[in-house]
Amino acid sequence: MILVLHWIMAYIYMDESGDLWFNMNYWNSKYFLITFLISNTEDEVDMVMKNVYKWMAWKKLKRKWSFFHSNKESVQSVKRALDLASRRKFFIVSLIINKQNVPYEYKKNQHILYNNTVKELLFQCEKRGYINSNGPVYFIASCKETNKYLNNQFVETVKSAVSKLIKFDITIKSPESSKWLELVDAISFSLFQKYEKVNFDLYSVIKNKIVLEKQIF
């Protein structure tokens, strides 16, 4: 049984894995998922990622990116990050999409599908009591979109999902600006490996932190 932590203040860090292209070429993913990491602090994970960086340097595992990006790091490095993180106080929620089951109207409006999936996951968090409506909620999303209009549309959709919250603050950040975003990238990657590759190796390290894992299509 997983103990869900209930905090007055919550930080939600968001990332996704897979793509939302529907022409089903061999390089497109079969699954797409949105993942939240929910914590009550901004600080605790810094020491986790610093440990990972030092360990990678000691093992001479070169980073292939300007920040920790799980798709470009060694499996050992990602597993190290997940293992150290699994001992910290936070929990994970995720919604999974099997792209073959997505209705036609969404296939032509990928941004609407994306925004509504994030909105649904926030709704599930509030409904299940994972975030406290009486306290401040800080939502930090990893920046994937450079189009200002689409980013504004995303922000408005997210805000509409939590209109009952007393205080809700949303920020879109570059992944390299936050160790938490680097970590939620690793977590999302581990879930993606489970569904896309039927590979549970990374997922098994962090599964004790997952309180909601739901396929919606």
Side-chain angles (χ1 to χ4, degrees):
M1 180 179 180
I2 298 173
L3 176 64
V4 177
L5 305 174
H6 295 275
W7 297 300
I8 293 178
M9 178 185 292
Y11 292 88
I12 301 175
Y13 300 90
M14 187 199 91
D15 197 21
E16 76 262 9
S17 292
D19 62 70
L20 282 176
W21 296 105
F22 291 95
N23 52 2
M24 303 311 289
N25 291 322
Y26 72 90
W27 57 81
N28 295 142
S29 65
K30 298 187 290 291
Y31 288 87
F32 177 82
L33 56 91
I34 297 284
T35 303
F36 292 172
L37 183 161
I38 305 176
S39 175
N40 72 330
T41 179
E42 288 186 293
D43 304 322
E44 197 170 286
V45 80
D46 281 355
M47 63 183 70
V48 169
M49 297 310 297
K50 286 177 182 177
N51 181 298
V52 173
Y53 298 153
K54 290 180 181 178
W55 180 84
M56 290 171 68
W58 178 60
K59 290 286 188 179
K60 298 181 180 179
L61 296 170
K62 294 182 179 179
R63 296 171 67 190
K64 304 181 180 68
W65 204 248
S66 59
F67 58 97
F68 190 92
H69 193 295
S70 297
N71 196 39
K72 298 180 181 294
E73 309 294 351
S74 67
V75 173
Q76 305 100 297
S77 300
V78 179
K79 186 174 287 188
R80 176 80 174 185
L82 295 175
D83 179 55
L84 291 173
S86 68
R87 307 169 200 179
R88 304 290 171 174
K89 292 181 181 179
F90 65 83
F91 53 90
I92 301 160
V93 296
S94 186
L95 292 183
I96 298 94
I97 293 173
N98 182 338
K99 288 160 56 178
Q100 288 186 331
N101 300 331
V102 171
Y104 177 78
E105 59 268 23
Y106 273 141
K107 292 181 178 181
K108 296 298 182 182
N109 297 280
Q110 294 99 323
H111 294 294
I112 294 176
L113 173 60
Y114 182 96
N115 292 350
N116 285 349
T117 303
V118 176
K119 183 177 179 179
E120 174 63 21
L121 190 49
L122 273 169
F123 171 76
Q124 291 294 331
C125 287
E126 190 174 8
K127 174 184 175 182
R128 296 164 187 260
Y130 299 159
I131 54 179
N132 192 326
S133 60
N134 295 318
V137 175
Y138 301 94
F139 186 93
I140 302 95
S142 183
C143 180
K144 303 294 184 185
E145 181 58 64
T146 57
N147 185 298
K148 186 176 180 180
Y149 170 77
L150 293 176
N151 276 331
N152 289 339
Q153 193 177 57
F154 168 77
V155 169
E156 291 306 313
T157 301
V158 169
K159 284 183 175 179
S160 71
V162 289
S163 58
K164 295 180 181 179
L165 295 183
I166 290 176
K167 179 176 173 55
F168 182 82
D169 182 73
I170 179 170
T171 309
I172 300 175
K173 290 186 175 182
S174 58
E176 63 267 27
S177 68
S178 169
K179 297 292 189 293
W180 283 102
L181 291 178
E182 291 181 339
L183 179 57
V184 74
D185 169 77
I187 291 167
S188 189
F189 180 74
S190 72
L191 279 153
F192 183 72
Q193 290 296 302
K194 171 186 172 180
Y195 287 91
E196 187 77 9
K197 307 292 185 182
V198 198
N199 183 344
F200 291 74
D201 190 33
L202 295 173
Y203 173 85
S204 63
V205 180
I206 205 71
K207 68 178 181 179
N208 66 310
K209 292 293 184 180
I210 301 173
V211 298
L212 174 63
E213 181 183 345
K214 182 179 180 182
Q215 188 167 323
I216 57 173
F217 288 113

